[in-house]
Amino acid sequence: MSNVEEKPIYLDNHASTQVDPRVVAVILHTMTTGYGNPNSVDHVFGDMAAKMVVAAQCEVAKLIGGDPDGVHFTTGASEAIQLAIAHAVSNRPHRDIPLRVALSAVEHRAVLDAISLQEDNGNVVVTWLPVDNFARLDLEALKSACASGIDLVCVMAANNEVGTLYPIEQIAQIASSANASILIDATQAAGHIPIFAVDWGITYLTVSGHKMYGPKGIGALVTLPNISIRYSHGRLRSTGNGTPNVPGIVGLGEACRLRQMEMIQDEPRIAAQRNHLEALLLSTISGLEVNGDRSNRLSHNLHLSLPDVPNDAVLARLRNRLAISTGAACTSAVDTPSHVLNAMGLAEELQNGAFRIGLGKFTTDDEIERAAGYFAAAVEDTRRAIAAI
Ligand code: PLP
C-alpha cells in the first residue's frame, strides 16, 4: 500500500470546472502578447486586441447558434442575466405598466434575485410556472400564462441542481407565438447540449466561462440581432466602465471553440461514467433515490437523496477525499433549503439528504470507482454513528 496522499476527487463541476490547459495557454499568450487596449484606435496593439475580442464573439456565437453581433461580454452569467432583465424592463411595451414575466419556479438565484429587485421597484409582475417531481416544466401552465398576456418568459436550459433539461425550442415557440420575449439561462447547458439561439428565436441567452472549462469572471449575454444593448462607454461589446477583460474574453472564446469541437465525443462518455457511478451507488447503498429527470438530464449530473442520513454529516466524512455538494454553490454556503427541491415537492427528509454530483471531462474511470467507494463508506459510517446515538 502506498503512503502517498491521494489527491481529492473533484466531482463538483456544476459549481465550477477545471480550466482546460489549452484555454490557459491561450490566456497566457493573450496576456503576454496581446496586451494592447482594444479601445485604442491609434496603433496596431489596439487593433490586435480588438480583433481578439471580435474573434471570441464569433466563437461564443457559433457554440450556441447566435449572431456574433449579439454577443455582449459580461463578468459572468449573473451579470448577463441582470443585463437582459434590465433591457426587457426598460423596453417594455408600456412604460407605465410593469413587465409581465412568466418565471419557472426552479430558476437560478441570479434570475430570481434580478426579477425580485425589479418587482420591488414596481417594474415587474410575476406569474410562476410550476414544475413536477422531476423538475419538468408544466408547458400547459406556460401556454395559459402566455394566452393571458406575458411580455417575458424566463426558463433555464438545464437545471443547476438536478440537471433536468428543458425543451427550450418548444418553450421559445410558445413565447414567440404570444409575442413574448424569452430569456434562456443556458449557463449549465451551453457547451454540453446543442443550442440554436437565432433559429429558435431566443431573445436573450446567457453563458458563463467557468461552467465549460474556461475562466471565472467572464460570461456573455447573447441577444437576437434586432436587440440593441447600450453601454455607458466605449465601442466594444463588453460591460463595465473600463477596458474589456481581453484575456478572459479570449479564454471564453477558446473554451467555446473547444466545446464546439469536442462536446459530441465528450458528452456520451461522461454520461456513461455517470450511469456507471449511479449503478454502483444504487447497488451498494440501500434507500438511495435519484432526483431529476433520469431520461432527460445533463450528462454530467447525478443528484441523489437519502431519506435517513443528513447530507452534511456525509460530506464532513468526505471533505478531504471527494468534492461533491449538498446543492447549488450560491446557496450551499448558506443553510437554507433548496427552492428547486422544494418546488419539485420533494419530502423534507429527501431535501435534507440531498447530494449533487457533477462529473467533468477530466473525470477518469478510476476516479468514478474510488468516488463510489468513498461515498458508500461515508454513508455507512454516518448510519453507524446515528444508530449508536
Ligand atoms: N445560472 C445558472 C443556471 C447557474 O448554475 C449559475 C452558476 O452556478 C449562474 C446562473 C451564475 O453564473 P456565474 O457564476 O457566471 O455568475
Side-chain angles (χ1 to χ4, degrees), residues 12-29:
D12 198 15
N13 284 281
H14 295 293
S16 204
T17 56
Q18 181 187 334
V19 184
D20 189 305
R22 292 167 294 177
V23 173
V24 175
V26 168
I27 292 173
L28 189 64
H29 182 257

Side-chain angles (χ1 to χ4, degrees), residues 14-15 75-79 81 107-111 156 158-160 185-188 206-211 217-219 328-330 356:
H14 295 293
T75 55
S78 300
E79 193 191 18
I81 288 163
E107 289 305 291
H108 188 268
R109 272 271 146 240
V111 174
M156 61 202 337
N159 187 268
N160 56 298
D185 174 2
T187 311
Q188 291 286 344
T206 65
V207 301
S208 179
H210 74 110
K211 307 294 187 184
I218 188 74
C330 53
R356 182 183 67 171

Side-chain angles (χ1 to χ4, degrees), residues 88-281:
V89 164
S90 53
N91 291 279
R92 61 189 183 270
H94 309 285
R95 283 237 38 100
D96 37 358
I97 302 177
L99 185 81
R100 297 162 302 172
V101 177
L103 188 61
S104 109
V106 293
E107 289 305 291
H108 188 268
R109 272 271 146 240
V111 174
L112 300 181
D113 290 350
I115 290 289
S116 133
L117 191 71
Q118 297 283 1
E119 209 179 8
D120 291 350
N121 293 333
N123 294 330
V124 153
V125 285
V126 173
T127 299
W128 289 97
L129 302 172
V131 296
D132 67 8
N133 298 153
F134 303 100
R136 293 179 304 204
L137 192 71
D138 183 341
L139 291 182
E140 290 310 312
L142 172 65
K143 282 182 197 158
S144 71
C146 285
S148 62
I150 286 295
D151 304 309
L152 177 69
V153 173
C154 297
V155 176
M156 61 202 337
N159 187 268
N160 56 298
E161 291 190 40
V162 296
T164 298
L165 295 170
Y166 295 93
I168 51 177
E169 181 180 7
Q170 201 183 344
I171 291 168
Q173 256 167 23
I174 297 170
S176 80
S177 57
N179 278 330
S181 302
I182 176 150
L183 165 58
I184 296 291
D185 174 2
T187 311
Q188 291 286 344
H192 299 280
I193 59 165
I195 298 176
F196 302 95
V198 170
D199 289 354
W200 294 348
I202 295 169
T203 327
Y204 311 99
L205 181 138
T206 65
V207 301
S208 179
H210 74 110
K211 307 294 187 184
M212 51 166 126
Y213 316 104
K216 294 178 181 55
I218 188 74
L221 169 64
V222 187
T223 63
L224 285 178
N226 60 335
I227 300 290
S228 144
I229 301 281
R230 286 176 54 201
Y231 303 109
S232 55
H233 80 294
R235 65 188 170 95
L236 279 171
R237 286 166 187 269
S238 168
T239 60
N241 285 319
T243 306
N245 168 11
V246 181
I249 288 171
V250 171
L252 173 63
E254 179 65 2
C256 288
R257 193 183 71 81
L258 293 172
R259 293 322 292 144
Q260 279 163 58
M261 287 193 317
E262 297 172 2
M263 176 167 81
I264 229 161
Q265 284 94 38
D266 285 346
E267 295 299 308
R269 176 178 49 80
I270 295 168
Q273 286 179 319
R274 185 270 317 277
N275 293 345
H276 182 54
L277 178 60
E278 182 180 286
L280 282 174
L281 294 175

